[in-house]
Structure formats: structure tokens, C-alpha cells
Amino acid sequence: MKLQRIALIVFVGLAFAFAGDRIPDYWNLMIGSAFTENHAYPVLQKICDRAGGRLTGTVQNEKAQDILIGELKALGLNAKREYFEIPGWVRGDDDVRMLEPTERKLRAVALGYVQKTPGFQAQVVFGFSGQKKILDSLNIKNKIVLIGYERPEKGQRPLRAQVIRFAADKGAKAVLFINRKIGGLCLAGTSSFQGDPAPIPAFSITKEEGLWLKRLVTSGQKVVVQMTVRSYCKPVKTSNIVLTLPGKVKDKIVLGAHFDSWDLGQGSIDNGLGTAILFDVARLIARYHPNNYYTLEFVWFNGEELGLWGSKKYVARHQNESILAMINMDMTGRVTGFDAMGFDEFVPLFKELVPKLTGFNLTQAVTNKPWTNSDHAPFMLQGIPVITTNAHLDKDQVNYYHSFGDTFDKVRPDYLAQSAAVISILASELANRPQMHLRRHSKKQIKQMLEHFGLDRILKSENEWPF
Ligand SMILES: [Zn+2]
């Protein structure tokens, strides 16, 4: 009797302790299904192995879109394409070859928007980190400028797009950027965030060959390189993939991830991860919590790598709609917390969610610091509050960023499952809290916020500062 009574008191006490924050059943269903029926991993495998690297405008990109739309359809989810045209770029069989002091074809990767250029030869000069002041002080006319990866002793390291402009202005023939990472890796990337053709050819070369060239040049030996560029710029028609889950009201929360990738590897980490997590979040919410207050829109953006084209086009096309928040997934590893990105209104929700997700070990619980250069940026610049997650990636998952080794073998199904579970909970909570009074911020507020966090300098150097 006595024992039973004690047990009853303990039980009632516990029930009261948890009554305030009882975990809704659908949370547990979503978490369970994310781990046991995980769709993110096999869908990503299909995209990576059957289509591959998804540079916007390529057949691989189109093929992967078909796979994704087909997989959604198999779940009864009808996604549509939203078409748009952008300045595109096609990688050709470029040839960069040392002729003096010895002949060797260099491993070189053209930056996006580099244009077709008939073969030419030129002497190589070392341009340090490519600051304007340094390039102005050197004789680089008709030369190929070799740029190191070291940080300059004074001032900021310019972006590759800026270095190309500085070098072209001084009459240089081309630029070679030495990659920072060891192991024969090149670093793909765009040469213009606005899709302008590069004024002169620009390539990423490996650290090993780059340091060899630098040793020769800086010790006074003559180095001649021959270059033939077959890559070229071309307008392309492409599309974002959009899946809408209508809510009680038309005001929406957008969940986004870029779908395109560079072409060197399979784009499995950047951004196969976000692509696949978004897929499973759509599946989990559609299945376990389809009726929400706000409309949820899942968007797979195209053209991110060439200059955030898909998200820019989406924001422009939907500018008259009420978009209350955007959650972005880019190279999302195992989620370790939430980032309010300078939008303080999200912090109380995050602080409420983290202690309810104890088993997920969210060690970077709540941060509030914005960053740029992914698809949330066009939303943020329009005053739409954005959210990203803090996340952990293993060393070999990050190491091959924009390079040959970004392949499916590095993807971890447990990380995908964990992230899909956490982000499904975040999104479904956000979609049912009209009391949060989410709203767009004014241009003035956004400008101040970005300046406060020092993002104005980066955006200005990319010609992406709209204020
Ligand atoms: Zn990315």
C-alpha cells in the first residue's frame, strides 16, 4: 500500500513537472521516421551516382532535377519548376601548361564565367596575395600573375573576383590562384557574383604545382606558361524546384537548400546534404504534421554556386507575397544548434527548443550572428528574417569543398537523419506560432544590422551591397 502510494505521488509529481512542456507525439514520430525510414540518404545517393556534379545548365543538373521531382512524386508530393534565365557558364577542356623551364600540363580549374581564349604564352610573375597596391607596383603587363594563398601582413585579402579585376586593369594576360589545401586539390568558384564574363582567364591551381612555380619565379628563373581556354559563358534557362504545403493562411515560411553544385566532384556535401535534408523534412512534415497555420514552401534553389541566382530570382518573383521567415540549409552536417542570424525574434523559440531536444546534444545551442554567401542572403537583404543551423561536419567532409573529392562516400546517413529530425521540429514549431508576430524588417534596420556585424565590407567587395 505504502509503496503504491509513494509510486503514485512520484508519478503525479513527474506528470506535473513535464505537463508544461510535454513533447507532442508528432515530434517523436518525425524523429523516429527520420532515423528508421530515412529517405535523405538513398535519394542523395541516386542524385550523386546517376546524375553527378550539378553545375547549373548542364545535363547532369537537369537529370538530377528529374530524379528529385520523381522521388517527391513517389511520396505524393507534387513539386513544380519555376523557370528563369541566367548568365550561365560551360566548362571546356582547358589547357594550362608550363613550357619553361620544363614542359608539364598543370592541373588547373577555370573559375566560373572565364571566357574562351585562343592559345597564348606568357611569362609568370608572382603577385603575392593580389592586393591592388601590390599589383599596381609590379610590372604585370602581358604577364600571367601567380597569386599566393597567404594572408597579407597588412590589410584584407582581396576576393578572387577583385584580384582578377585589378590584374586585368594593369594589362595582365591571366591569373593563377594557388590553392591553400594540400593534396593536388583545386578550388572551383565563380569569378563574378553578377555573372559578368571574366575580363581575363583565371584558374585555380594546386598548392603543390603553385609552390613550385612560386619557387622558380621568386628565385629569378624564367617561367613561361601556355594557356588555351575552351570554357565559355552562355545564357542558360534553368529552374528552382518548389513544393508548397498550404497552411491555414497564405503567409509563408520558406525552407531552402541549393540544389546545384560545382562539377569537379559529385556535389554530395555542397550541397547534396542540404538537398537531401530538405527532401526528408518535406516528407516528415507532409506525413506527420501536414496541417499548419502558416504555409510551408520547400525550395531547391538552382544556380547558387554561380552567384545565388535561384534565390535571387525566387525573392524577385515572390516579392509581393508575405514571406515571414526563411530557413537555409547549406552543407548542413549534424545539427548542433540554431543561429538566429541577427534576428533577435527567433532567440526565445530556440531557447525553448534546445532543452527539449536533449538527446541531440545541441552543444552550440543558440547563436545570433549572421553570415552571407548562401541562399538566405537575398532574403535577408529584403528584410526577411532568416535562420540557419550550427552543424558539425567531419574533417574529410569539409576538406574537399568545391573540389574533386566532394563525393557520396563521405555522406553519413546518421547526420542526415539527425538534421532532418531537428529541422522538421524547428519548421513545424515556427509554422504554428502566430504569436511570434514575424514580420519583415525595414531596409534601414537590415543595413544597420549588417553593418553592426561587419558584413557590409564583404558584400561591398562582391558588389552585392544594395544600400
Ligand atoms: Zn553551398
Side-chain angles (χ1 to χ4, degrees), residues 238-306:
T238 185
S239 55
N240 291 331
I241 299 172
V242 180
L243 170 70
T244 310
L245 203 60
K248 211 170 155 184
V249 297
K250 278 191 176 160
D251 310 66
K252 347 174 164 165
I253 313 271
V254 171
L255 287 97
H258 77 85
F259 165 81
D260 64 301
S261 74
W262 282 105
D263 52 342
L264 305 182
Q266 293 180 315
S268 305
I269 302 298
D270 185 10
N271 183 28
L273 296 183
T275 300
I277 294 165
L278 185 60
F279 181 92
D280 230 15
V281 171
R283 175 182 74 87
L284 293 166
I285 296 180
R287 180 159 159 200
Y288 294 110
H289 206 256
N291 300 314
N292 297 288
Y293 182 77
Y294 293 128
T295 293
L296 286 169
E297 195 142 274
F298 303 86
V299 189
W300 287 266
F301 297 109
N302 220 323
E304 192 264 0
E305 297 291 2
L306 285 169

Side-chain angles (χ1 to χ4, degrees), residues 110-355:
L111 301 195
Y113 297 123
V114 160
Q115 302 195 79
K116 193 170 271 189
T117 313
F120 65 89
Q121 298 174 9
Q123 205 180 321
V124 177
V125 290
F126 187 57
F128 300 87
S129 54
Q131 285 169 299
K132 187 172 185 315
K133 221 169 58 196
I134 290 171
L135 295 188
D136 284 349
S137 72
L138 298 169
N139 177 19
I140 59 171
K141 193 170 164 58
N142 292 325
K143 306 267 172 62
I144 293 172
V145 187
L146 179 69
I147 301 294
Y149 53 83
E150 301 88 350
R151 284 192 185 282
E153 276 174 32
K154 257 198 234 158
Q156 297 285 345
R157 192 188 147 78
L159 298 173
R160 294 196 289 189
Q162 291 177 299
V163 176
I164 297 166
R165 266 202 318 273
F166 300 155
D169 288 348
K170 292 290 289 180
K173 295 279 270 183
V175 184
L176 297 175
F177 293 96
I178 305 176
N179 193 9
R180 193 181 328 122
K181 286 181 184 163
I182 61 161
L185 301 175
C186 295
L187 181 71
T190 188
S191 73
S192 163
F193 297 91
Q194 294 77 37
D196 301 322
I200 51 174
F203 286 85
S204 168
I205 60 171
T206 66
K207 183 171 196 171
E208 291 79 6
E209 288 181 332
L211 292 179
W212 170 44
L213 263 67
K214 181 182 163 186
R215 282 197 302 277
L216 290 168
V217 170
T218 53
S219 64
Q221 293 189 61
K222 188 177 178 192
V223 175
V224 176
V225 164
Q226 176 182 285
M227 231 179 239
T228 307
V229 188
R230 301 189 179 93
S231 299
Y232 58 96
C233 301
K234 161 189 131 172
V236 298
K237 192 178 178 190
T238 185
S239 55
N240 291 331
I241 299 172
V242 180
L243 170 70
T244 310
L245 203 60
K248 211 170 155 184
V249 297
K250 278 191 176 160
D251 310 66
K252 347 174 164 165
I253 313 271
V254 171
L255 287 97
H258 77 85
F259 165 81
D260 64 301
S261 74
W262 282 105
D263 52 342
L264 305 182
Q266 293 180 315
S268 305
I269 302 298
D270 185 10
N271 183 28
L273 296 183
T275 300
I277 294 165
L278 185 60
F279 181 92
D280 230 15
V281 171
R283 175 182 74 87
L284 293 166
I285 296 180
R287 180 159 159 200
Y288 294 110
H289 206 256
N291 300 314
N292 297 288
Y293 182 77
Y294 293 128
T295 293
L296 286 169
E297 195 142 274
F298 303 86
V299 189
W300 287 266
F301 297 109
N302 220 323
E304 192 264 0
E305 297 291 2
L306 285 169
L308 310 182
W309 289 108
S311 46
K312 284 176 184 168
K313 295 285 179 182
Y314 178 91
V315 166
R317 182 195 282 242
H318 298 269
Q319 61 178 329
N320 295 323
E321 296 169 18
S322 165
I323 302 172
L324 298 178
M326 191 268 185
I327 305 174
N328 189 29
M329 285 151 252
D330 193 358
M331 292 181 75
T332 307
R334 172 170 57 75
V335 170
T336 56
F338 305 112
D339 191 342
M341 302 288 281
F343 295 93
D344 300 345
E345 58 268 44
F346 292 129
V347 173
L349 170 65
F350 297 168
K351 285 192 170 161
E352 182 195 320
L353 290 181
V354 169

Side-chain angles (χ1 to χ4, degrees), residues 41-54 60 63-64 67 265-268 406-411:
Y41 191 72
V43 166
L44 182 55
Q45 182 167 12
K46 217 171 181 180
I47 289 171
C48 292
D49 288 350
R50 295 192 197 175
R54 304 170 294 286
Q60 288 82 2
K63 194 169 181 184
I67 293 172
Q266 293 180 315
S268 305
D406 184 351
T407 47
F408 185 74
D409 48 283
K410 300 174 183 77
V411 177

